[in-house]
Amino acid sequence: MAIAQLTTAERDAALARLPGWNLRGDGLAIERSFRFADFGEAFAFMTRVALAAEKADHHPEWSNVWNTVNIALTTHDAGGLSARDIALAEAIDAMAG
């Protein structure tokens, strides 16, 4: 079953509900940076996200430098943003507190 890419209207509506997330320059992903008190908190957050991503079988593109975690979400099978990215972004926001 093919995964549908979000329309521009769907993407814009989703971004309006996701403060802090921004459309990547190429329009194919959403991005957000998270800052924590220290590396331990950042790594704990990444562990929670990793477990949720594995359960959803949808994995972020991300990096971590000390207390900062940068995340990009895109659906490669859809060639850009899909509902899966929005659902994971909402779950990530809930985990970030």
Side-chain angles (χ1 to χ4, degrees):
M1 180 161 132
I3 298 171
Q5 189 176 128
L6 295 178
T7 65
T8 300
E10 290 169 331
R11 180 197 70 204
D12 293 346
L15 281 171
R17 296 188 320 267
L18 292 167
W21 290 90
N22 298 297
L23 188 63
R24 192 169 69 192
D26 63 8
L28 299 177
I30 54 176
E31 301 175 314
R32 182 166 179 193
S33 291
F34 296 86
R35 293 193 91 115
F36 299 91
D38 56 29
F39 177 76
E41 284 189 23
F43 193 82
F45 169 73
M46 290 181 75
T47 301
R48 293 190 301 274
V49 171
L51 293 171
E54 188 66 19
K55 185 175 181 179
D57 192 29
H58 190 58
H59 305 94
E61 299 172 7
W62 60 2
S63 65
N64 165 243
V65 176
W66 190 61
N67 69 336
T68 303
V69 178
N70 297 306
I71 300 177
L73 300 175
T74 190
T75 302
H76 298 284
D77 293 342
L81 286 171
S82 77
R84 297 181 81 193
D85 301 305
I86 304 310
L88 188 53
E90 290 169 341
I92 289 169
D93 283 351
M95 288 179 248

